[in-house]
Each structure stands twice: as C-alpha cells, then as structure tokens.
C-alpha cells in the first residue's frame, strides 16, 4: 500500500478515481497528498545487472493550459543507463558520465536525473546496493521541450525497472516531480506526460491529481517543432508573467483550455489548433521576449497549420498539422520567419504524439 506523508506523524493514503468526460473509460486520475510515498519497508533485490531507459520530449502549456496541460512527442528525448555498482556505497547513487552537454553537474543532488533516481530509491527503501548512472542528453537545455523532465523520467523508470517494476506510474511521477521542484519549479506539465505519454491534464497540485487524456488512435496528429538558436531561461520567462489577471482573460483562457481538452478527446485537430493558438495570458507576455516569435506563429498559420504557440517557456515554437508533408512545409515557413523577423537560425522537426512515455529499452539480467 502506498502511503504519502504530509509530515512524519500524519500519513495519508493516495487514491485513484475517475471523472466523467467525453471518453470516461480512458481517463485516469492519479491523486496523492504529498511528494514521496513510502511503498514498502521490504527492500527488493535487483532483477537486472543493468538497464537502459528512454523518456520523450514534452510540450507543456499547449497555449491556454499554463502549468496544467502537456503532451509527449516521439523521436526526441533522453536516455539513462543504470547498473548495480559494487564500488558505490550501498544505498547511494553515483553519476559516472553525462554526454550530449557540458553544462550539467555530476553531483546527483544537483542533477535532475540524480534527484529523481534517489527519490525512487527512497520509495523502494534501497539500502543494500549502490548504483551508477550515466545520462545521454538528446534534448538541449532550456529548449522548451522538457529537457529536465526527460532526464528525471528516464532515471525514475530505470531504477524502478532495475528492481522489478514495484512502483506504479503515479509513484514515478511523484519521484520526477521531486526533481522538477528542485531544478525547474513545482510543475508537472512536463514530467507527467514524459512518464505517462500522450496528453496529460494536471487537475490539482494539492493534492496532486493527474488525468490521462486519450487522443483517438485512428487520428493523425503531427507536431512541428521549430527551435531557434536562442536561450529562454525558464526563470526569466516566468518572471515576465503577470501576478494578476483580469476576469475577462481568466474566463477566456478557461474556455479555451476546456475546448482544447474536448478537442483532444474527440480527435478534432481544427478545434485543438484553434484553442492552442488562443492564449491571452502567458503567450502575449513571452512572445515579445523571443525574437521573431509573433511572425513565426503567423507564418505557421498562413502555411496551413491548425494552430501554433510557444512550447513550454520557449524558445521552441510548436504547430499542429495532420500530415508529415504539411508539417515539412509549415516548418520551412517557420524557420524562414525566425531568420527574417528575429535574425535567428532555427531547426524544424516533424514529430508524432508519443503515446507510451518513459520506458525500458534495454537490460542485462543477473
């Protein structure tokens, strides 16, 4: 039984419930009152000598869904390799290698993958073996594609798989959120879809409640991701947001977020794109901080995209289309707009929805 501790003396039990929607059988709500549940005091033995995991990139906010909507995209992400290491003190974790970037610490207490791995080890009460972790960054830092969340998700899944998959999805999200809270802020709109895949709605943060939104499998959904050569630090982009908003903007964004969720469940790309493009609170404050962003959005829509917005805190722009061919055309126009209006070089990628989330991709049995 999972127990979440509000304090050392006040345990509460998390629950899983469902809420009616347009597709009720496919919506799950994961609820917990605090971050790290204590799963069991019985320490599991490792079932593998080593494992390799992958977690995908994510698009957070999706326009009007600031801090409560996100989705995973395929073909991009981070890898984590984890092994039992007799040279590491029992119960501890060592980060031995980081590739793909030179800007991350190997101190596991200051690294998003390390923090999530340690949180998962605590959940499992790992005390008898030490672990070594290596991180392969496939996502650039500060790209607006959930780079820290991908590392955290891959690490949490790796630890869980190494010890026989004892934890549930909700526990892995909580371990990843522990990392996000220390590295990029207490928000689950990247870490939840990175672990769960697909679209995810964060219904509540206190207690944490997550809803998986199923986009119809028979429908095509293509993302055009255009990343300029520009840094948009999350702290700076959050500092630009208003502390208070008017009632009319509140009502507008709520209605657009509701329309976006309904469009996801119905597989309505026209409605999804329209809602995606309609944020009146966050995007208007952030877009001017990214050179050329407003022109990029206009170019995407003129080229046939159903919608376009900033991915996460940026600087990546994301557009939605219904075919890879159209995605290539839209991406070219967006890259041109970044160069002409923002004087920024950019790279376009065309990707599909990742419906799986973080997963095991390799293992060596004991």
């Amino acid at each position: 039984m999972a127990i979440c501790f509000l304090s050392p003396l006040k345990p509460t039990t998390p629950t899983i419930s469902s809420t009616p929607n347009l597709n009720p059988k496919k919506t799950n709500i994961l609820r917990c009152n605090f971050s790290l549940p204590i799963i069991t005091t019985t320490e599991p033995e490792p079932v593998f000598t080593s494992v390799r995991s992958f977690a995908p990139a994510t698009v957070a906010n999706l326009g009007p869904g600031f801090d409560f909507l996100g989705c995973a995209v395929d073909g991009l992400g981070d890898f984590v390799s984890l092994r039992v290491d007799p040279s590491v003190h029992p119960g501890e974790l060592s980060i031995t290698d980081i590739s793909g970037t030179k800007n991350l610490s190997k101190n596991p207490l200051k690294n998003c993958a390390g923090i999530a791995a340690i949180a998962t080890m605590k959940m499992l009460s790992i005390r008898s073996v030490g672990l070594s972790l290596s991180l392969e960054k496939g996502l650039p830092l500060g790209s607006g594609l959930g780079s820290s969340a991908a590392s955290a998700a891959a690490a949490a899944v790796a630890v869980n798989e190494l010890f026989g998959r004892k934890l549930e999805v909700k526990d892995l999200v909580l371990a990843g959120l522990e990392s996000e809270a220390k590295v990029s802020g207490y928000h689950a709109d990247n870490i939840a879809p990175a672990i769960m895949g697909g679209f995810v709605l964060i219904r509540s943060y206190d207690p944490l409640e997550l809803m998986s939104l199923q986009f119809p499998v028979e429908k095509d959904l293509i993302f055009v991701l255009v990343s300029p050569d520009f840094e948009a630090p999350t702290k700076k982009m959050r500092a630009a947001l208003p502390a208070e908003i008017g009632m009319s903007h509140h009502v507008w964004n709520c209605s657009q977020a509701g329309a976006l969720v309904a469009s996801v469940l119905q597989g309505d790309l026209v409605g999804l794109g329209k809602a995606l493009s309609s944020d009146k609170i966050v995007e208007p404050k952030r877009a001017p901080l990214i050179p050329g962003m407003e022109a990029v959005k206009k170019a995407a829509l003129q080229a046939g995209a159903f919608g376009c917005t900033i991915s996460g805190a940026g600087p990546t722009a994301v557009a939605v289309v219904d075919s890879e061919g159209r995605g290539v055309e839209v991406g070219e126009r967006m890259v041109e707009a970044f160069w002409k209006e923002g004087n920024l070089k950019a790279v376009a990628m065309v990707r599909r929805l990742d419906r799986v989330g973080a997963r095991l991709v390799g293992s060596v049995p004991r």
Side-chain angles (χ1 to χ4, degrees):
M1 180 178 68
I3 299 178
C4 297
F5 285 88
L6 291 170
S7 73
L9 300 178
K10 296 181 180 179
T12 59
T13 303
T15 60
I16 304 177
S17 62
S18 61
T19 296
N21 60 57
L22 298 176
N23 201 348
K25 293 183 179 180
K26 293 187 177 181
T27 296
N28 296 318
I29 304 177
L30 308 180
R31 178 182 294 125
C32 188
N33 280 352
F34 197 54
S35 55
L36 292 180
I38 307 300
I39 304 304
T40 177
T41 56
T42 303
E43 180 183 2
E45 293 187 2
V47 297
F48 298 108
T49 300
S50 65
V51 296
R52 180 174 165 83
S53 62
F54 170 81
T58 48
V59 174
N61 301 339
L62 297 170
F66 176 71
D67 273 7
F68 66 86
L69 283 171
C71 67
V73 295
D74 75 352
L76 300 168
D78 290 357
F79 290 90
V80 162
S81 297
L82 187 75
R83 64 185 178 90
V84 176
D85 190 342
S87 68
V88 177
H89 191 276
E92 295 185 359
L93 174 81
S94 171
I95 298 180
T96 56
D97 184 61
I98 300 175
S99 60
T101 182
K102 298 179 180 179
N103 299 320
L104 292 179
S105 171
K106 288 186 179 180
N107 181 341
L109 299 178
K110 297 181 179 180
N111 181 288
C112 45
I115 296 169
I118 291 171
T120 310
M121 292 170 69
K122 288 180 178 179
M123 289 181 178
L124 294 169
S125 301
I126 302 303
R127 300 180 295 269
S128 301
V129 298
L131 305 178
S132 288
L133 180 152
S134 70
L135 172 64
E136 299 171 44
K137 290 296 298 177
L139 294 174
L141 307 181
S143 59
L145 293 172
S147 178
S148 62
S151 298
V157 165
V159 173
N160 189 41
E161 294 288 345
L162 189 73
F163 291 96
R165 201 181 297 179
K166 303 296 183 183
L167 303 179
E168 299 179 9
V169 169
K170 67 178 183 296
D171 303 317
L172 300 178
V173 172
L174 290 167
L177 187 55
E178 184 83 358
S179 171
E180 287 286 84
K182 294 179 180 178
V183 175
S184 63
Y186 194 86
H187 57 90
D189 49 346
N190 288 115
I191 189 63
I195 288 175
M196 299 166 64
F199 287 88
V200 178
L201 164 67
I202 294 84
R203 182 178 181 178
S204 168
Y205 278 94
D206 186 17
L208 181 66
E209 298 180 25
L210 308 172
M211 300 178 68
S212 177
L213 308 174
Q214 301 297 322
F215 188 86
V217 294
E218 68 274 12
K219 297 287 186 73
D220 282 331
L221 171 58
I222 308 297
F223 296 98
V224 184
L225 304 168
V226 180
S227 299
D229 186 12
F230 182 79
E231 291 188 13
T234 300
K235 289 185 178 180
K236 177 182 177 181
M237 301 305 278
R238 281 185 173 266
L241 302 182
E244 298 179 353
I245 60 173
M247 181 60 73
S248 62
H249 283 179
H250 164 70
V251 172
W252 172 264
N253 263 42
C254 286
S255 66
Q256 298 309 308
L260 194 151
V261 170
S263 297
V264 167
L265 296 174
Q266 294 173 336
D268 176 8
L269 287 183
V270 174
L272 192 160
K274 185 176 180 180
L276 185 86
S277 303
S278 299
D279 174 30
K280 287 187 177 181
I281 297 174
V282 176
E283 184 182 312
K285 297 296 183 181
R286 287 179 166 175
L289 302 179
I290 304 172
M293 179 59 74
E294 293 170 343
V296 169
K297 179 175 182 176
K298 183 178 180 180
L301 297 177
Q302 290 179 342
F306 295 115
C308 180
T309 190
I310 301 170
S311 177
T316 295
V318 55
V320 291
V321 297
D322 59 359
S323 71
E324 293 186 358
R326 176 61 58 82
V328 172
E329 295 176 10
V330 170
E332 290 175 351
R333 300 290 86 76
M334 293 170 71
V335 168
E336 289 175 1
F338 261 128
W339 177 247
K340 290 181 179 179
E341 302 298 331
N343 198 31
L344 294 176
K345 294 181 179 179
V347 176
M349 299 169 284
V350 179
R351 295 289 184 265
R352 293 181 178 271
L353 180 70
D354 185 306
R355 299 175 183 269
V356 180
R359 62 263 200 186
L360 182 71
V361 295
S363 61
V364 177
R366 295 190 74 186

